[in-house]
Amino acid sequence: EPYRIRDYDISISDEWIDTVLSLRNIKKRSEIKEGDPFSMETLEKERASISQILRHIGYYTATEDNFRYLADTSLMSNQVDLQLILKDTIAPRMHYIRNIKVISGYDPFDEPPFKLVDSVEYKDLSILYDSTHFLRPSVLRRNILMEKGERYSDIRDKQSYNLVNSLGSISRTNVQYSTVNEGDSALLDYKIYLTEGNIHGIQTGIDGTNKAGNLGIAANISYNHYNLFNGAEHWNIKLRGAYEFVKKSTDEVLSENYYEFGIGTSLIFPQLHLPLFREYITNRYTTTSEYSINFDIQRRVDYTRNFFNLNWKERFSSPNGNVMQTYSIIDINYVMMPKISQKFDEYLKEPGNELTRFSYEDIFTAGINYSIVLSMPNQGKFGRRQSSFRFFAESSGNLLYWGSELFKATKSESGQYQVLNNPFAQFLKGDIDFAQTFRFDAKNTIAGHLGLGMAYPYNNSKIMPFEKRYFAGGPNNVRGWNTRHLGPGTVKDTSNLATQVGDINLIMSLEYRYKWIKYIELAAFVDAGNVWTVKEYENQPGGHFKFSSFYEQIAVGCGIGLRIDLGFIVIRFDGGKRLYDPAEAKSERFVLFDKFKGNAAFYFAIGYPF
């Protein structure tokens, strides 16, 4: 019969520490509960938790060894009266920061060793420089949160280390504390040694592609500068190109080889440029501001298509990396077709090709978006539950529309306001995505996924831009259908990318994973979902979302998979079979035992589907 805790009490002889623990309701929040088994593991966690709280508020020397338990097991009933006390030694003391010194450009492996050529006093920082004068004083002050004269804080210490170490121009960070006693005061001297990393870098990459049986090759080369203005700014310029060998077909309009190339540049600052709540966010998150410009040209026999993008993003993530938020304050996209062949133009104008024609029109979008990603690893008992949550919201064209209304701008023949002689898109879009895995033991895991999304065009837009619409099917979606071959609603598989897209998205997945041997994992899965349109479109009959019937149009696929887990990468092979196909007549929608040809798909992918 295990011993159980009958009574638990915290009795601290130091009046200040006892007050702190009382104010934080340590006993109520404790994992030690009356009636629980007398577990040494739980007792050790309690000591570690209390000592960590004390380090957070200034007790630099506080450790688990400052506390001990008195356990009375003489009750003769398998019960224990437990008391937490301070050891009969000197209690930990509150420490304050006396000096903050930064040794910038120090490398313990340098020959000759670090040579001091300059020293700077900047807002309570004593900065020692070598000949490189590595990193401006303002950058160091912004990322070192410790303040002279303030109480030591374990939280600020870790945040400062993470902020400084995350600067791309630093390869190594080392922090040292020295304790100093002056009379009744306990003081700390804080030193941080910063080693400069590689400032310049060149990256190259080459990819092989397979799009619906069409093979291709793509290559890119980029140059990176990680300290452009001596403030850990990261500048990148990238060139990319691709060539695809498209199969010729007499019944396809687009049937020639084509290529594309592009150039893009970005500049990332390790600080927040967003004026609102800057101090609050900077003190709690790792922040960056990114500005980027990209231009791409897509060249085919039948047309030339150009893409332009201008973006300003603000990112901030929590110190533990569990929360990542991104604001796109400026997000401008311009898609134009300066050249189109007569044959392709005639094809687009044919009756029944309205949606395809819209997908190839010039379009201008200008808006803002926000996303947040929450990762919650190792939750629950024994850390067996992991989950992630993502939310995304986007708005486009509203300021342009209001401005056009205010200044009485002229509308085009189609009744739309224009920018650069092209209509601009106006819409709202939002996505929610949740995934969770539960590990039963070392071999068996269940994973679930739910994705919801909706986009709505209005005022200046009658339909969403093609790039912003949802699609279903593929290796990370409803397996059993090829990518973009499912929906919307009851629309049959036409293999026309312009018609098999929608404005509402619903995806659900459940997957069982079995660790067979060290590197091999087996899986069985069931996927369900579809896409729908928010309006009735002539070329998508049966694709409109209706509350009274949408549940009858949820496609279901199932299958098995093989995964090769190499640690740094997961190689995935999945085979999916259609179980319920809403595109068929109601009496013929259960297709599990139908022939495989046309009702199944095989996937090769990198990483888990969710």
Side-chain angles (χ1 to χ4, degrees):
E1 181 69 23
Y3 278 75
R4 296 184 180 274
I5 296 171
R6 188 183 75 165
D7 183 63
Y8 173 53
D9 187 38
I10 299 176
S11 180
I12 305 299
S13 57
D14 185 284
E15 183 178 352
W16 176 243
I17 295 178
D18 185 60
T19 301
V20 168
L21 298 182
S22 298
L23 290 174
R24 290 177 177 261
N25 292 320
I26 295 300
K27 186 175 179 181
K28 289 185 178 180
R29 296 162 56 186
S30 172
E31 290 189 21
I32 302 177
K33 304 294 183 182
E34 295 175 3
D36 283 356
F38 181 53
S39 165
M40 292 302 296
E41 181 181 359
T42 305
L43 268 57
E44 289 301 314
K45 285 183 178 179
E46 179 84 346
R47 291 203 308 167
S49 174
I50 291 176
S51 61
Q52 186 178 53
I53 290 172
L54 294 180
R55 286 195 298 272
H56 288 346
I57 62 173
Y59 290 90
Y60 171 71
T61 59
T63 67
E64 295 90 331
D65 291 335
N66 289 118
F67 302 92
R68 69 173 181 175
Y69 294 99
L70 297 179
D72 183 0
T73 59
S74 63
L75 303 174
M76 303 301 291
S77 58
N78 288 72
Q79 291 182 313
V80 180
D81 284 343
L82 195 64
Q83 186 179 29
L84 178 70
I85 65 172
L86 273 174
K87 277 188 176 181
D88 296 329
T89 56
I90 299 175
R93 302 177 65 187
M94 188 80 72
H95 281 74
Y96 294 84
I97 303 297
R98 186 178 73 163
N99 294 314
I100 304 174
K101 185 176 289 187
V102 183
I103 299 87
S104 181
Y106 174 82
D107 191 337
F109 302 104
D110 273 353
E111 289 293 342
F114 179 84
K115 183 179 181 180
L116 176 65
V117 299
D118 192 14
S119 61
V120 176
E121 295 292 327
Y122 182 83
K123 294 184 179 180
D124 291 336
L125 291 186
S126 297
I127 307 172
L128 307 182
Y129 283 113
D130 65 355
S131 57
T132 63
H133 277 76
F134 176 55
L135 293 179
R136 299 191 307 272
S138 59
V139 176
L140 297 172
R141 177 68 279 182
R142 185 169 59 246
N143 289 282
I144 297 174
L145 305 182
M146 313 299 289
E147 297 286 348
K148 188 175 180 178
E150 286 193 350
R151 288 184 306 182
Y152 166 82
S153 169
D154 186 50
I155 293 178
R156 285 198 300 274
D157 177 30
K158 291 178 180 178
Q159 287 178 335
S160 298
Y161 178 86
N162 291 334
L163 285 171
V164 172
N165 208 43
S166 66
L167 299 176
S169 57
I170 290 178
S171 65
R172 187 182 301 109
T173 304
N174 184 29
V175 175
Q176 294 182 2
Y177 282 96
S178 301
T179 57
V180 181
N181 292 322
E182 290 186 356
D184 294 333
S185 300
L187 307 176
L188 288 172
D189 285 341
Y190 174 88
K191 288 184 180 180
I192 182 167
Y193 295 83
L194 306 178
T195 303
E196 184 177 11
N198 293 325
I199 301 303
H200 306 278
I202 293 179
Q203 292 178 322
T204 60
I206 188 167
D207 301 305
T209 61
N210 185 339
K211 299 179 181 178
N214 298 321
L215 300 179
I217 187 170
N220 65 78
I221 182 170
S222 64
Y223 166 75
N224 297 276
H225 194 301
Y226 296 97
N227 197 30
L228 187 63
F229 305 122
N230 201 31
E233 300 87 358
H234 177 197
W235 178 55
N236 168 270
I237 183 168
K238 184 175 184 178
L239 298 172
R240 51 191 174 270
Y243 192 91
E244 187 171 336
F245 306 90
V246 182
K247 297 176 182 177
K248 291 187 178 182
S249 174
T250 56
D251 58 351
E252 289 184 0
V253 175
L254 306 178
S255 59
E256 298 290 343
N257 299 345
Y258 80 94
Y259 63 86
E260 60 182 270
F261 61 87
I263 183 171
T265 184
S266 65
L267 182 59
I268 302 175
F269 295 86
Q271 64 186 101
L272 199 67
H273 290 170
L274 188 69
L276 299 176
F277 311 112
R278 181 182 298 174
E279 184 176 352
Y280 175 85
I281 295 173
T282 301
N283 290 338
R284 290 164 175 80
Y285 297 92
T286 301
T287 60
T288 61
S289 299
E290 178 181 350
Y291 304 87
S292 63
I293 299 177
N294 292 278
F295 182 72
D296 289 89
I297 298 176
Q298 190 181 78
R299 181 72 174 90
R300 304 186 70 141
V301 172
D302 297 287
Y303 65 82
T304 298
R305 201 176 191 196
N306 299 338
F307 302 84
F308 172 79
N309 172 260
L310 176 67
N311 201 285
W312 169 19
K313 291 181 180 179
E314 299 284 341
R315 290 192 179 97
F316 45 98
S317 59
S318 60
N320 58 11
N322 289 348
V323 181
M324 170 71 77
Q325 299 184 65
T326 303
Y327 290 92
S328 282
I329 299 173
I330 295 176
D331 188 8
I332 295 175
N333 294 275
Y334 185 32
V335 182
M336 49 190 162
M337 289 188 65
K339 178 183 176 183
I340 183 170
S341 70
Q342 182 179 352
K343 181 180 179 181
F344 188 49
D345 187 48
E346 292 173 353
Y347 166 76
L348 294 177
K349 291 178 180 178
E350 290 178 3
N353 288 338
E354 287 80 3
L355 287 179
T356 305
R357 181 170 67 249
F358 178 80
S359 301
Y360 285 94
E361 287 182 346
D362 295 352
I363 192 71
F364 183 92
T365 62
I368 58 175
N369 61 66
Y370 166 77
S371 68
I372 181 171
V373 179
L374 306 177
S375 301
M376 293 159 279
N378 303 325
Q379 300 293 309
K381 192 174 183 180
F382 308 122
R384 288 178 173 175
R385 191 172 71 249
Q386 296 179 326
S387 56
S388 65
F389 173 83
R390 184 182 71 88
F391 171 77
F392 173 82
E394 182 177 12
S395 170
S396 179
N398 291 309
L399 289 178
L400 291 175
Y401 185 84
W402 295 333
S404 300
E405 288 274 290
L406 180 65
F407 293 104
K408 307 296 182 182
T410 303
K411 292 185 177 182
S412 66
E413 293 181 0
S414 61
Q416 295 173 289
Y417 292 118
Q418 295 180 307
V419 173
L420 303 176
N421 295 322
N422 288 298
F424 60 84
Q426 188 175 8
F427 61 85
L428 292 174
K429 184 178 181 180
D431 295 311
I432 295 176
D433 190 278
F434 178 75
Q436 180 163 304
T437 61
F438 185 86
R439 180 170 55 87
F440 293 96
D441 50 43
K443 289 184 174 291
N444 298 279
T445 301
I446 289 287
H449 172 241
L450 173 65
L452 297 170
M454 181 176 178
Y456 186 78
Y458 57 98
N459 288 343
N460 212 55
S461 295
K462 296 180 181 179
I463 190 170
M464 289 290 296
F466 177 75
E467 291 80 6
K468 298 292 183 179
R469 304 188 80 186
Y470 299 103
F471 64 89
N476 300 322
N477 211 291
V478 185
R479 286 163 284 187
W481 282 261
N482 290 325
T483 303
R484 298 180 183 268
H485 283 224
L486 171 60
T490 60
V491 173
K492 269 194 172 291
D493 183 358
T494 63
S495 301
N496 186 340
L497 302 187
T499 60
Q500 299 214 243
V501 289
D503 314 306
I504 297 175
N505 178 57
L506 171 62
I507 300 297
M508 299 173 286
S509 296
L510 189 65
E511 186 169 283
Y512 168 69
R513 299 166 184 169
Y514 175 73
K515 196 77 171 181
W516 184 29
I517 55 178
K518 184 175 182 180
Y519 298 110
I520 304 297
E521 186 176 76
L522 306 178
F525 56 83
V526 176
D527 299 333
N530 206 333
V531 295
W532 295 266
T533 63
V534 294
K535 300 178 181 180
E536 290 273 11
Y537 296 116
E538 183 180 349
N539 298 98
Q540 295 176 304
H544 186 214
F545 179 88
K546 297 179 180 178
F547 277 104
S548 60
S549 60
F550 84 93
Y551 60 90
E552 298 176 338
Q553 300 167 5
I554 296 176
V556 181
C558 59
I560 56 175
L562 171 70
R563 289 82 191 273
I564 303 174
D565 187 355
L566 302 179
F568 64 94
I569 192 174
V570 175
I571 302 172
R572 176 162 56 96
F573 301 91
D574 283 342
K577 176 70 174 67
R578 300 181 188 183
L579 175 61
Y580 180 84
D581 189 351
E584 301 293 341
K586 284 190 176 182
S587 60
E588 300 175 357
R589 289 181 175 177
F590 289 94
V591 294
L592 178 62
F593 300 107
D594 287 8
K595 60 183 179 180
F596 273 82
K597 186 177 181 180
N599 284 320
F602 178 77
Y603 311 97
F604 167 75
I606 302 297
Y608 287 107
F610 51 86

